[in-house]
Amino acid sequence: MRADYINPFIQSLCTTFETMLSCEITRGQLYLREPNTALHDISGVIGLSGNAQGTVVLSLDKKVALAAASVLLMCEAEEINADVVDAVGELTNMVAGGAKAKLEEYQLSISLPSVVTGTGHEIRFPSNVTPICVPFNSPWGPLKIEVGLAAVQQLAGAH
Amino acid sequence: MRADYINPFIQSLCTTFETMLSCEITRGQLYLREPNTALHDISGVIGLSGNAQGTVVLSLDKKVALAAASVLLMCEAEEINADVVDAVGELTNMVAGGAKAKLEEYQLSISLPSVVTGTGHEIRFPSNVTPICVPFNSPWGPLKIEVGLAAVQQLAGAH
């Protein structure tokens, strides 16, 4: 599996933040994720299946989550409540959906987002998948995206 | 969406523990999950897509995870390391795979498992999905399964 599958996710994340939140984000250096790397305060997780299987994680600092949710909900969000959780899930969904459209060859379908909270939570990938992590900075604080994707046999993809 | 989609997951979990781990588990009372319910120490998460979309979470007390991994790996696991993470992912995969076979009408495909660790982590579902939670007891300690599944339109399912 080539590692350039990460680019559609990076593009999709930048576009989502720019068009949905009028927020320009700056990309940091991408790296292969090591175990025991805690995420930010709240993370949206979407499973990808099709001719490739994997997971995309969008992890946001609490301040970023609250600011983004405030824009999407058009009212001030002050704590991580059900609306903020939905907003983070929806952002993750937009990022995954945008990337999926650019990764047509894998005929990906995407799961419902689930959102993980809890100090120091970590989303671990299977040991045969090395997720690529890309940190970003925004005027609201830090965020990052982690993507692990592995090609599957054509037959298995036809489930 | 009828709520009896939970039964294949319950059956699949019991069968997986019995056949793979020779461990008999006892089912507690199922309930609709409230927000702010922390999970056990380590949770496997799998996204489901197809004619229904959703998420299944298998959450294990640390003792259960270590004991189950020790059986699967055929050597004593003493801490939550990469092997234990893989074992929890694989157990979640077996549970989801077994349930998927019994839910043919939804033509589910399942994502790679991701595994979440971190004290007090919580996996939140979209607010329009009410996950069903089923607690279990095992000789090794407590575990639970959470499943949220929502039917999607036929067209959307054909992605």
Side-chain angles (χ1 to χ4, degrees):
Chain A
M1 187 99 192
R2 297 178 331 206
D4 56 4
Y5 66 77
I6 191 69
N7 289 326
F9 289 93
I10 294 173
Q11 285 161 22
S12 181
L13 178 62
C14 293
T15 309
T16 300
F17 266 66
E18 209 173 303
T19 57
M20 300 305 296
L21 306 173
S22 307
C23 175
E24 218 166 291
I25 59 177
T26 324
R27 208 194 109 177
Q29 192 60 42
L30 67 81
Y31 55 93
L32 298 182
R33 188 168 152 289
E34 298 281 320
N36 300 315
T37 322
L39 288 161
H40 295 304
D41 303 301
I42 180 166
S43 306
V45 186
I46 283 188
L48 309 165
S49 51
N51 294 338
Q53 276 190 318
T55 305
V56 52
V57 178
L58 173 64
S59 189
L60 307 177
D61 185 83
K62 186 179 175 183
K63 280 185 219 147
V64 180
L66 295 181
S70 298
V71 175
L72 287 177
L73 302 167
M74 290 187 289
C75 73
E76 197 73 21
E78 285 173 356
E79 45 154 6
I80 295 183
N81 56 24
D83 290 335
V84 175
V85 165
D86 275 358
V88 171
E90 190 47 36
L91 281 175
T92 313
N93 196 39
M94 289 182 223
V95 174
K100 168 192 142 143
K102 289 179 186 138
L103 289 166
E104 262 180 12
E105 70 266 39
Y106 299 121
Q107 301 186 297
L108 294 178
S109 67
I110 63 181
S111 73
L112 273 187
S114 42
V115 175
V116 183
T117 56
T119 312
H121 72 267
E122 186 188 343
I123 294 161
R124 312 231 195 174
F125 291 70
S127 59
N128 62 338
V129 174
T130 306
I132 296 175
C133 180
V134 193
F136 290 84
N137 247 310
S138 80
W140 301 323
L143 59 147
K144 61 182 163 182
I145 192 169
E146 291 183 353
V147 186
L149 202 60
V152 293
Q153 289 170 314
Q154 208 64 21
L155 193 67
H159 273 311
Chain B
M1 188 100 191
R2 295 179 333 205
D4 55 3
Y5 66 77
I6 190 70
N7 289 326
F9 290 93
I10 294 173
Q11 286 162 22
S12 181
L13 178 62
C14 293
T15 309
T16 301
F17 266 67
E18 209 173 304
T19 56
M20 300 304 297
L21 306 172
S22 307
C23 175
E24 218 166 290
I25 59 177
T26 324
R27 209 194 108 177
Q29 192 59 41
L30 66 81
Y31 56 93
L32 297 182
R33 187 169 153 288
E34 297 283 321
N36 301 314
T37 321
L39 288 161
H40 294 304
D41 303 301
I42 180 166
S43 306
V45 186
I46 283 188
L48 309 165
S49 51
N51 295 338
Q53 275 190 319
T55 306
V56 52
V57 177
L58 173 64
S59 189
L60 307 177
D61 185 83
K62 186 178 174 183
K63 280 184 218 147
V64 180
L66 295 181
S70 299
V71 174
L72 287 177
L73 302 166
M74 290 186 291
C75 73
E76 197 73 23
E78 285 173 357
E79 45 154 5
I80 295 182
N81 56 23
D83 289 335
V84 175
V85 165
D86 275 358
V88 172
E90 189 47 36
L91 281 175
T92 312
N93 196 40
M94 288 182 224
V95 173
K100 169 191 142 143
K102 288 180 188 137
L103 289 166
E104 262 181 11
E105 70 266 38
Y106 298 120
Q107 300 187 297
L108 294 178
S109 69
I110 63 180
S111 72
L112 273 187
S114 42
V115 175
V116 183
T117 55
T119 311
H121 72 268
E122 186 187 344
I123 294 162
R124 312 231 195 174
F125 291 70
S127 60
N128 63 336
V129 174
T130 307
I132 296 175
C133 178
V134 193
F136 289 84
N137 248 309
S138 79
W140 300 324
L143 59 147
K144 60 181 165 184
I145 191 168
E146 291 182 354
V147 186
L149 201 61
V152 293
Q153 289 169 316
Q154 207 66 20
L155 194 66
H159 273 309

